[in-house]
């Protein structure tokens, strides 16, 4: 067989996809698997929008099945601009927005447009594994700023500033609200990071797919603090909850968005038309959108608090109450020391023996390799109780072996 590009070997399989394969196998065997590993919400888009789309599907029109502009339908970009203005006070024109085929496409396109081989990028440890994977593939040097459970996983701007290598550092990547910790950056820290980026002529690659899922505090729109340096990434996977339909978007300075769109066009030509029409309908009905956001926030916060109460019944674990997003990170350090296993082995055995799927922390960074990530939004309240009880039983059984 002819040789392959060796850079492909720098990519690793997504841990959520890997655990989903095991989940599908166990489900095919008739086992009831609790999916705390999911990277998606458990609430579908508003019924009114789904009913509208159902009627659209029955129309004898090719619009729903046709190509669209590579940057997305004009109506979609207008609706996104209005949404950013309404919810965040962000002022951008439609030529500062490009739609993408999901958040992953947005990440690849933004990194490709802004970074070159051997550039340096600053990331928080832990952070979403999708970035480290793509940066490895692109041969970009990753410089990590560690955070800890003791500081509520809040990054220190001084540490970020200390790791800047003038002439080599090109960007700071921030996920806010964070995946996997649920940390929400406050205004003071965001302002300091913005000033660092401006002073050092760096990009801020600002990943904000959970911006409408903030339970305590408020989301800071970095673009307002550093409009010439910030490229913001968003997705409709979390809000209104269409991850399988693959639709996201990027906004930022006009010239860089133009370049990003050229990459988007080369990869996927255009985002799925059906997802764009659903998003337009959802965003245009401002009353419905805000009502849905509040509903999802309320239900998600209730599930989070329930999971926290149930985890309180497990000895020798630590966690911080997440202020946003969909995930809760559980530190298993004491449990792993006592049982002499890794978080990855813990997660594998938990899935095999108790049919509970979680994601090992090692995929998010060195600082949380002894932790596991749990999604508190996907399962029902009843199944959250069942799942946490299974984890408690598993830990007790492990200690007794």
């Amino acid at each position: 067989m002819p040789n392959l590009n060796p850079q492909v070997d720098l990519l690793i399989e997504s841990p959520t996809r890997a655990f989903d394969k095991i989940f599908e196998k166990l489900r095919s065997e008739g086992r009831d698997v609790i999916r705390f590993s999911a990277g998606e919400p458990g609430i579908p888009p508003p019924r009114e929008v789904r009913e509208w789309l159902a009627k659209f599907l029955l129309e004898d029109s090719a619009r729903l099945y046709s190509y669209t502009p590579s940057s997305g339908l004009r109506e979609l970009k207008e609706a996104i601009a209005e949404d950013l203005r309404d919810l965040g006070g962000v002022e951008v024109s439609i030529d500062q927005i490009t739609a993408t085929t999901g958040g992953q496409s947005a990440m690849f396109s933004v990194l490709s447009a802004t970074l070159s081989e051997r550039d340096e990028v600053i990331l928080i440890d832990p952070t979403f594994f999708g970035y480290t994977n793509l940066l490895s593939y692109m041969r970009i040097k990753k410089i990590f700023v560690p955070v800890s459970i003791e500081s509520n996983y809040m990054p220190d701007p001084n540490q970020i500033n200390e790791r800047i290598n003038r002439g080599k550092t090109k960007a700071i990547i921030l996920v806010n609200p964070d995946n996997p910790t649920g940390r929400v950056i406050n205004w003071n820290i965001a302002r300091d990071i913005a000033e660092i980026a401006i002073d050092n002529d760096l990009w801020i690659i600002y990943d904000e797919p959970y911006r409408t899922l903030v339970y305590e505090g408020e989301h800071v729109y970095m673009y307002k603090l550093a409009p010439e340096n910030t490229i913001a990434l968003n997705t409709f996977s979390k809000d209104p909850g269409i991850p399988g339909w693959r639709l996201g978007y990027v906004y930022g300075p006009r010239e860089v968005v133009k370049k990003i769109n050229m990459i988007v066009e080369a990869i996927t030509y255009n985002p799925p038309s059906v997802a764009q029409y659903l998003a337009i309908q959802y965003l245009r009905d401002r009353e419905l959108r805000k009502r849905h956001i509040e509903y999802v926030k309320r239900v998600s916060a209730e599930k989070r608090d329930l999971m926290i109460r149930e985890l309180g019944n497990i000895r020798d674990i630590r966690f911080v109450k997440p202020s946003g997003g969909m995930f809760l990170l559980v530190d298993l350090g004491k449990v792993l020391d006592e049982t002499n296993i890794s978080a990855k082995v813990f997660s594998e055995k938990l899935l095999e023996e108790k049919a509970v799927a979680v994601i090992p922390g090692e995929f998010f960074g060195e600082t949380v390799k002894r932790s596991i990530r749990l999604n508190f939004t996907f399962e029902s309240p009843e199944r959250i109780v069942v799942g946490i009880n299974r984890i408690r039983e598993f830990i007790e059984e492990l200690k007794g072996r």
Side-chain angles (χ1 to χ4, degrees):
M1 185 175 73
N3 293 332
L4 299 174
N5 181 350
Q7 280 186 235
V8 174
D9 293 330
L10 299 175
L11 292 169
I12 62 170
E13 183 180 26
S14 161
T16 54
R17 300 286 80 79
F19 276 83
D20 280 348
K21 287 180 182 177
I22 303 173
F23 162 74
E24 291 294 338
K25 177 179 178 295
L26 293 177
R27 189 171 66 172
S28 70
E29 296 170 354
R31 297 187 64 184
D32 176 27
V33 181
I34 305 291
R35 285 188 68 196
F36 292 149
S37 60
E40 58 192 283
I43 299 175
R47 187 176 187 86
E48 296 92 327
V49 177
R50 288 180 280 140
E51 289 175 344
W52 172 87
L53 185 61
K55 293 177 181 177
F56 194 2
L57 282 164
L58 295 175
E59 289 183 9
D60 292 326
S61 168
R63 276 196 306 154
L64 199 57
Y65 314 101
S66 299
Y67 292 123
T68 74
S70 59
S71 64
L73 292 162
R74 182 183 183 89
E75 300 97 311
L76 174 64
K77 292 183 289 183
E78 288 174 343
I80 290 170
E82 172 59 25
D83 189 61
L84 290 170
R85 186 181 306 114
D86 187 20
L87 297 185
V90 176
E91 294 289 344
V92 290
S93 59
I94 63 171
D95 57 354
Q96 291 178 263
I97 300 168
T98 185
T100 63
T101 307
Q104 197 71 23
S105 169
M107 289 164 54
F108 184 88
S109 301
V110 168
L111 296 177
S112 297
T114 56
L115 304 173
S116 302
E117 188 171 330
R118 289 186 288 276
D119 282 346
E120 294 185 3
V121 174
I122 294 175
L123 306 99
I124 307 303
D125 181 356
T127 194
F128 176 53
F129 52 77
Y131 282 105
T132 54
N133 204 21
L134 287 175
L135 291 170
S136 294
Y137 176 72
M138 296 175 177
R139 299 184 186 276
I140 309 297
K141 186 174 181 180
K142 302 179 287 290
I143 307 297
F144 291 102
V145 174
V147 294
S148 66
I149 192 170
E150 286 77 17
S151 65
N152 292 337
Y153 302 111
M154 201 67 72
D156 182 345
N158 292 324
Q159 291 187 20
I160 292 174
N161 194 43
E162 290 169 359
R163 284 164 172 76
I164 293 173
N165 188 348
R166 292 186 178 274
K168 293 186 177 181
T169 305
K170 297 297 176 65
I172 302 167
I173 296 177
L174 285 174
V175 182
N176 185 51
D178 188 42
N179 175 6
T181 67
R183 172 260 299 133
V184 174
I185 293 175
N186 63 43
W187 190 89
N188 289 333
I189 289 177
R191 178 204 57 202
D192 290 348
I193 293 173
E195 290 176 356
I196 289 169
I198 293 169
D199 291 345
N200 292 278
D201 196 25
L202 304 178
W203 289 114
I204 302 173
I205 298 173
Y206 196 57
D207 197 321
E208 52 181 6
Y210 308 100
R211 67 188 177 98
T212 59
L213 286 175
V214 176
Y215 314 115
E216 287 86 30
E218 61 181 34
H219 179 66
V220 178
Y221 288 83
M222 188 68 76
Y223 181 83
K224 294 165 66 176
L225 298 174
E228 294 302 313
N229 299 72
T230 300
I231 306 169
L233 292 74
N234 281 267
T235 173
F236 291 97
S237 295
K238 321 304 179 186
D239 170 27
I242 53 170
W245 289 22
R246 311 311 300 140
L247 183 63
Y249 64 94
V250 173
Y251 68 91
R254 184 175 289 101
E255 287 306 308
V256 72
V257 168
K258 182 178 178 181
K259 300 296 185 184
I260 291 167
N261 182 59
M262 292 175 66
I263 297 169
V264 169
E265 180 176 299
I267 298 171
T268 59
Y269 202 70
N270 68 262
S273 57
V274 65
Q276 292 189 59
Y277 281 111
L278 182 142
I280 291 167
Q281 186 70 12
Y282 172 60
L283 293 177
R284 277 180 169 173
D285 191 332
R286 301 308 301 166
E287 182 181 343
L288 173 66
R289 167 142 172 73
K290 291 178 180 178
R291 189 168 67 245
H292 185 68
I293 289 172
E294 290 306 313
Y295 168 69
V296 172
K297 281 175 60 176
R298 177 176 59 78
V299 171
S300 298
E302 289 171 356
K303 289 183 177 182
R304 175 201 62 175
D305 294 345
L306 173 62
M307 180 174 282
I308 286 173
R309 286 197 298 272
E310 294 300 314
L311 286 169
N313 296 321
I314 303 177
R315 293 169 50 200
D316 297 332
I317 65 170
R318 298 193 301 164
F319 54 87
V320 172
K321 181 180 181 179
S323 298
M326 306 190 313
F327 307 108
L328 194 154
L329 199 63
V330 179
D331 182 341
L332 297 175
K334 288 185 178 180
V335 174
L336 301 181
D337 285 341
E338 189 172 338
T339 57
N340 197 31
I341 61 173
S342 67
K344 186 172 185 291
V345 171
F346 178 97
S347 302
E348 291 168 348
K349 288 182 176 293
L350 176 66
L351 182 53
E352 293 166 1
E353 297 181 22
K354 295 294 184 181
V356 177
V358 300
I359 301 297
E362 67 182 60
F363 290 104
F364 303 98
E366 183 69 18
T367 60
V368 293
K369 66 180 182 179
R370 289 153 64 82
S371 301
I372 55 174
R373 189 196 74 176
L374 282 68
N375 181 326
F376 55 80
T377 67
F378 183 76
E379 295 285 9
S380 68
E382 295 77 16
R383 289 175 63 78
I384 288 174
V385 173
V386 172
I388 300 302
N389 279 334
R390 289 185 190 178
I391 294 174
R392 177 182 53 77
E393 292 170 359
F394 178 66
I395 289 175
E396 290 173 356
E397 291 170 8
L398 272 180
K399 290 180 175 182
R401 294 177 185 177

